Amino acid sequence: MSEITTDVVSHLANLARIALSPKEIESLSGELGAILDNVAKVSEVATPDVPMTSHPIPLFNVFREDVPGETLTAAQALAGAPEHDGARFKVSAILGEEQ
């Protein structure tokens, strides 16, 4: 069991200038104690023969290869546009004169 008491939490809150109610101090004492106990358990099994990992399971790329394919021509892309000038989409301005 950890040595996180309400006095320790109160002292740390005072050092950090965090106002905690007595109920919050009591709750944090238990939570911080549980965290320290769990860190101690992990430290017991974290021996030099156990390799360090950043993830519990291996990660791999699930994306397909980037292979060029058929694309739309400018005319095809503009065909469904509500407004265009022949080469570009036309959209209404969203900013004022301050541009």
Side-chain angles (χ1 to χ4, degrees):
M1 190 70 169
S2 70
E3 297 180 18
I4 300 292
T5 63
T6 55
D7 291 336
V8 171
V9 173
S10 181
H11 177 68
L12 291 173
N14 185 40
L15 291 174
R17 297 184 179 166
I18 299 172
L20 295 175
S21 69
K23 185 177 179 180
E24 290 171 319
I25 291 172
E26 185 68 35
S27 174
L28 284 172
S29 298
E31 291 174 12
L32 292 172
I35 290 169
L36 285 180
D37 290 342
N38 287 320
V39 168
K41 287 179 188 176
V42 170
S43 297
E44 290 173 10
V45 297
T47 59
D49 60 322
V50 176
M52 291 187 283
T53 60
S54 62
H55 297 282
I57 56 174
L59 298 178
F60 57 93
N61 188 348
V62 295
F63 299 112
R64 64 173 171 75
E65 289 295 318
D66 190 11
V67 179
E70 288 187 37
T71 59
L72 296 176
T73 65
Q76 289 171 323
L78 293 171
E83 290 188 61
H84 61 83
D85 69 1
R88 296 177 297 253
F89 295 103
K90 285 177 90 175
V91 294
S92 58
I94 58 170
L95 300 175
E97 295 296 321
E98 65 274 1
Q99 299 181 37

